[in-house]
Amino acid sequence: MAVSKTKKTTGNKTAASGRKKPAQTVLQEPGKVFISEADCYLFSQGTHYDIYKKLGAHISTENGQKGMFFAVWAPNAEAVYVIGTFNGWDETQYPMEKINEVGIYRCFIPGVGENELYKFLIHTQDGRKLYKADPYANAAELRPGTASKTTDLSGFHWTDAKWEAARDAEDHTKAAMSIYECHIGSWMKHPGEGDGFYTYREFADRMALYLKEMPFTHIELMGISEHPFDGSWGYQVTGYYAPTARYGTPKDFMYLVNKMHEIGVGVILDWVPAHFCPDEHGLACFDGQCIYEDPDPRRGEHPDWGTRIFNCGKPEVKNFLIANVLYWIREYHIDGIRVDAVASMLYLDYGKQPGQWLPNQYGGNKNLDAIEFFRHMNSVVRGSYPGFLTIAEESTAWPNVTSDIGKEGLGFSFKWNMGWMHDFCEYMKLDPIMRKGSHYSMTFAMSYNSAENYILPLSHDEVVHLKCSMVEKMPGYRADKYANLRAGYTFMFGHSGKKLLFMGQEFGQEREWSEERELDWFLLQESLNAGMKRYVQDLLKMYRKYPCLHEIDNDWAGFEWLNADDCDRSIYSFFRRCPSDKRCLLFILNMTPVEREKYRIGVPVKKKYRLILNSAKKEYGALEDVRVPLSITARAGECDYREQYLEFTLPPYGALVFEF
């Protein structure tokens, strides 16, 4: 029998003798879920990192009977009942027992198995009845239903031990990282079948084939945690511990992750600790009072988003969120999280007008609780799982977002470079004749590149809300748009920083993204789109093949401008190198439709330069091939402050990459 030891909270001494009390021994049945005093204490301190194994609904055995153990945190409730399909939603049959002052209620119901729907009926102190989904539920009813669902997460056969060992041994700052951001429900659909959603398993099998062809290193999944409204894309969550039922069961999602690991692709989840939706069945005013959010709307609500803000100053709320990350790691083998809207958490006045927010204790606008939360989360998660990625979507110049754990910074692995993304998109939208006036917007990111570990994102946010798709942002006729984008992508893959592309951008999706329809795969019948896909495929292969493109990403030792000042011709040239100085790459980018005959560029060494990529080729969608020698030997002569140069024809909207 398992033995659990607990101690009375009386100072560990008897009042009469002053002697220590002997530890009490509680005999526990095998398979029984048990919440001890130690569990309650750790939860109240915000440090019970396995709390998801105790709260929620779990298969258990009590007095020889198998059934379901239910537990919920509702400190202000007058009474709590479990209701569900197993008792005809009877509101009085299964009252829950409040086990201590922390406010945890428990109930064991014999005979209840998997796939039963349930809710917690909460009687508030002012006489109301609230019908709440389980905050710790591992599964949920398919929307528009709002109930939780009993399930068993055990028994899945994982085959990714080698993957996880290799991941934990890798230094991700030096490794290639190209991320495919994806929304399962709209990547591809079954025609004429209701929502048309692929299941997690169908998606995994189809995506595995696609990623073998398009060699991204990671896939970032949007909208996995359960959410009621498709149009929120998963950014207004009700079930933080439940993979959405839209695509199948928890074990189906395990299959997806395992399948990605089989083909060598890491899985990153979009994670949303910044806010949650106010739906009646969710976390808002959970037990009649605000226990997950601050009761003062100046701290507890986002006026622009209509959502509630987690109260990161409350230990139980921090515990809920940190344990949630650990849950996805331990139960689903997730490799990283992209943390949404970090800036909205760091600033108390984010998106608020005067009078809509409260300053901190020192009178400033920094959210001190959120700062401590991020440091705590990253120290626990990255300290326990060194290969796990925590990625911040932080849109301001907050210092030291990425740092070693325990240092002054927030402790994230990487930060999205939103400044680079904005400058890149604004420049690429310009008519070529106007680009010389904004030339340095494309070079600016390198001036602060060493401040953080960056990811360069071209994300879903850039192709919605009338912003146009990436290819439709480009100026010119249709062929010009694609030539522009090929040059832009080459700049991105040559620039310091890891890479992220949203689905569809790899083949030139022309319509804006909508969660209601699949990507426009029919475009691949067009030569421009097929050529774009082939070009991005070759960029991905080049990026993974050449260490100089990823080994030194946040230091000038890995990047050097050859000419950053050719404003009048809108040409950029730079090279990438790594510590070995072997197989360096030279990038030349012509951002105008003007062909440059006998173009000269100063180069670092007088050696042979081998052309490995030319965007102006018919196979990539160019109207005609512009002949560039496959091998050019540098000539002696001063150019661009160098003692040797190359000379060749630079194609219009041409992107050339040479190895040397």
Side-chain angles (χ1 to χ4, degrees):
M1 275 188 151
V3 177
S4 174
K5 295 182 178 180
T6 60
K7 293 184 178 181
K8 297 282 188 177
T9 56
T10 57
N12 296 325
K13 294 183 180 181
T14 62
S17 65
R19 295 177 182 174
K20 290 184 178 179
K21 278 190 174 183
Q24 293 185 340
T25 300
V26 178
L27 297 179
Q28 184 178 327
E29 292 181 75
K32 178 180 178 179
V33 179
F34 177 74
I35 298 180
S36 68
E37 291 182 17
D39 291 323
C40 295
Y41 173 77
L42 291 173
F43 180 58
S44 69
Q45 298 300 303
T47 56
H48 195 320
Y49 305 125
D50 288 332
I51 192 62
Y52 59 87
K53 296 180 179 179
K54 301 300 180 84
L55 298 182
H58 304 281
I59 291 175
S60 182
T61 301
E62 294 191 15
N63 299 320
Q65 290 185 296
K66 190 174 181 180
M68 196 67 59
F69 176 87
F70 297 90
V72 65
W73 177 56
N76 304 299
E78 187 68 27
V80 184
Y81 293 80
V82 182
I83 59 175
T85 51
F86 43 80
N87 73 337
W89 301 95
D90 188 303
E91 297 189 356
T92 61
Q93 185 177 4
Y94 294 123
M96 301 186 78
E97 172 194 4
K98 187 175 183 179
I99 60 177
N100 64 10
E101 68 279 1
V102 174
I104 293 176
Y105 288 77
R106 69 171 297 280
C107 179
F108 173 75
I109 305 178
V112 177
E114 293 187 70
N115 300 316
E116 298 278 7
L117 300 181
Y118 72 98
K119 281 189 177 181
F120 294 121
L121 168 58
I122 297 176
H123 291 255
T124 68
Q125 293 178 4
D126 58 5
R128 291 175 293 142
K129 289 183 179 181
L130 304 178
Y131 300 85
K132 291 290 188 176
D134 181 357
Y136 288 85
N138 296 148
E141 183 182 14
L142 177 63
R143 55 93 177 98
T146 58
S148 300
K149 182 183 286 189
T150 59
T151 190
D152 181 8
L153 298 182
S154 65
F156 183 81
H157 179 60
W158 291 95
T159 60
D160 61 351
K162 288 185 178 179
W163 162 266
E164 290 196 305
R167 177 199 68 192
D168 289 342
E170 185 175 63
D171 182 350
H172 294 292
T173 62
K174 297 180 180 179
M177 187 184 301
S178 50
I179 303 169
Y180 189 57
E181 186 187 25
C182 188
H183 179 264
I184 292 177
S186 58
W187 182 70
M188 194 173 285
K189 288 179 178 285
H190 294 297
E193 295 184 17
D195 289 321
F197 292 150
Y198 276 38
T199 67
Y200 289 121
R201 292 175 185 261
E202 291 171 334
F203 174 81
D205 292 340
R206 192 69 177 265
M207 181 57 76
L209 294 174
Y210 191 69
L211 293 181
K212 286 179 181 178
E213 182 184 1
M214 303 297 291
F216 289 89
T217 65
H218 292 75
I219 184 169
E220 181 177 309
L221 297 175
M222 299 167 57
I224 296 301
S225 297
E226 192 58 81
H227 53 284
F229 178 47
D230 291 10
S232 77
W233 311 333
Y235 291 109
Q236 294 193 17
V237 180
T238 50
Y240 278 81
Y241 286 80
T244 178
R246 288 166 175 80
Y247 318 122
T249 68
K251 287 181 181 175
D252 293 337
F253 183 64
M254 292 177 187
Y255 176 90
L256 190 167
V257 177
N258 196 60
K259 187 71 175 182
M260 292 298 101
H261 290 174
E262 282 182 2
I263 64 168
V265 172
V267 180
I268 299 168
L269 290 191
D270 239 325
W271 189 60
V272 192
H275 61 143
F276 56 92
C277 66
D279 293 46
E280 290 184 0
H281 69 286
L283 300 176
C285 294
F286 185 78
D287 61 2
Q289 298 185 35
C290 296
I291 61 172
Y292 285 94
E293 70 271 46
D294 194 294
D296 190 324
R298 291 173 293 180
R299 290 244 176 114
E301 295 182 13
H302 272 303
D304 289 342
W305 300 344
T307 54
R308 303 295 176 88
I309 302 171
F310 281 109
N311 183 355
C312 290
K314 184 176 287 189
E316 297 89 349
V317 175
K318 287 190 294 186
N319 204 147
F320 173 82
L321 292 171
I322 295 173
N324 185 240
V325 180
L326 296 170
Y327 164 81
W328 290 107
I329 298 172
R330 293 167 179 168
E331 302 298 331
Y332 294 97
H333 296 205
I334 294 302
D335 304 291
I337 53 171
R338 175 264 193 184
V339 184
D340 179 61
V342 168
S344 75
M345 297 179 68
L346 293 174
Y347 298 95
L348 293 167
D349 59 348
Y350 185 92
K352 297 180 179 181
Q353 301 299 319
Q356 293 182 329
W357 64 282
L358 290 176
N360 61 33
Q361 64 194 73
Y362 304 110
N365 68 340
K366 294 181 179 179
N367 189 332
L368 304 179
D369 292 329
I371 296 169
E372 191 279 330
F373 164 74
F374 284 131
R375 288 173 175 168
H376 186 173
M377 180 200 76
N378 281 310
S379 66
V380 171
V381 173
R382 293 183 62 202
S384 302
Y385 301 91
F388 189 81
L389 302 170
T390 61
I391 302 166
E393 187 221 9
E394 202 286 308
S395 55
T396 73
W398 189 281
N400 298 319
V401 172
T402 62
S403 65
D404 293 336
I405 56 176
K407 296 293 181 64
E408 287 298 314
L410 299 180
F412 284 93
S413 310
F414 290 95
K415 171 182 172 174
W416 273 19
N417 194 336
M418 310 289 279
W420 175 89
M421 179 182 70
H422 178 269
D423 291 342
F424 175 85
C425 289
E426 290 303 309
Y427 177 88
M428 295 303 297
K429 287 190 294 187
L430 292 172
D431 187 288
I433 200 170
M434 305 299 294
R435 285 179 174 172
K436 61 183 178 181
S438 296
H439 186 81
Y440 293 109
S441 64
M442 291 282 271
T443 65
F444 179 59
M446 282 306 301
S447 68
Y448 59 83
N449 180 69
S450 60
E452 306 277 7
N453 296 324
Y454 284 115
I455 291 174
L456 309 183
L458 293 176
S459 73
H460 67 276
D461 279 328
E462 301 314 301
V463 293
V464 291
H465 302 322
L466 303 180
K467 294 180 183 177
C468 300
S469 66
M470 286 305 301
V471 73
E472 288 298 331
K473 293 182 196 295
M474 305 297 115
Y477 294 109
R478 191 163 182 261
D480 292 333
K481 290 178 181 292
Y482 282 83
N484 257 292
L485 193 55
R486 291 194 299 272
Y489 283 165
T490 312
F491 180 85
M492 174 188 186
F493 275 80
H495 197 283
S496 291
K498 312 307 181 187
K499 324 298 176 190
L500 180 144
L501 283 178
F502 182 58
M503 64 180 196
Q505 295 180 8
E506 75 277 13
F507 65 80
Q509 167 84 13
E510 294 185 351
R511 289 190 293 177
E512 281 192 340
W513 171 62
S514 169
E515 79 284 351
E516 296 180 351
R517 60 174 182 258
E518 72 171 12
L519 297 179
D520 293 336
W521 295 104
F522 60 84
L523 287 173
L524 287 173
Q525 301 174 47
E526 303 287 336
S527 59
L528 283 170
N529 299 90
M532 177 63 75
K533 179 171 176 276
R534 194 175 300 115
Y535 189 68
V536 172
Q537 181 184 49
D538 286 347
L539 282 173
L540 289 164
K541 290 178 179 178
M542 177 186 73
Y543 175 66
R544 297 185 73 161
K545 179 180 178 180
Y546 288 90
C548 66
L549 292 178
H550 49 75
E551 275 195 356
I552 307 177
D553 262 334
N554 64 348
D555 192 288
W556 281 104
F559 181 103
E560 186 171 336
W561 291 109
L562 288 170
N563 191 337
D565 301 314
D566 198 347
C567 304
D568 290 338
R569 295 188 296 181
S570 297
I571 297 174
Y572 300 93
S573 55
F574 57 88
F575 70 96
R576 297 297 303 274
R577 60 188 170 207
C578 56
S580 66
D581 268 341
K582 295 179 180 178
R583 304 181 80 182
C584 300
L585 292 183
L586 166 64
F587 288 75
I588 305 103
L589 304 149
N590 181 6
M591 295 301 190
T592 70
V594 180
E595 182 178 287
R596 304 291 180 180
E597 293 185 6
K598 295 184 178 181
Y599 172 76
R600 285 190 180 187
I601 180 174
V603 290
V605 292
K606 190 179 179 183
K607 290 189 175 182
K608 185 176 291 186
Y609 291 73
R610 183 174 68 89
L611 182 68
I612 64 167
L613 193 65
N614 176 4
S615 70
K617 296 176 69 174
K618 283 186 177 180
E619 65 179 292
Y620 298 137
L623 296 178
E624 59 182 3
D625 288 333
V626 176
R627 293 185 179 181
V628 180
L630 297 180
S631 179
I632 308 175
T633 301
R635 305 177 186 177
E638 186 176 340
C639 182
D640 296 327
Y641 304 102
R642 307 279 175 167
E643 295 180 355
Q644 51 277 322
Y645 66 90
L646 302 180
E647 186 175 279
F648 51 86
T649 297
L650 181 60
Y653 291 133
L656 304 179
V657 185
F658 293 89
E659 177 188 339
F660 67 99

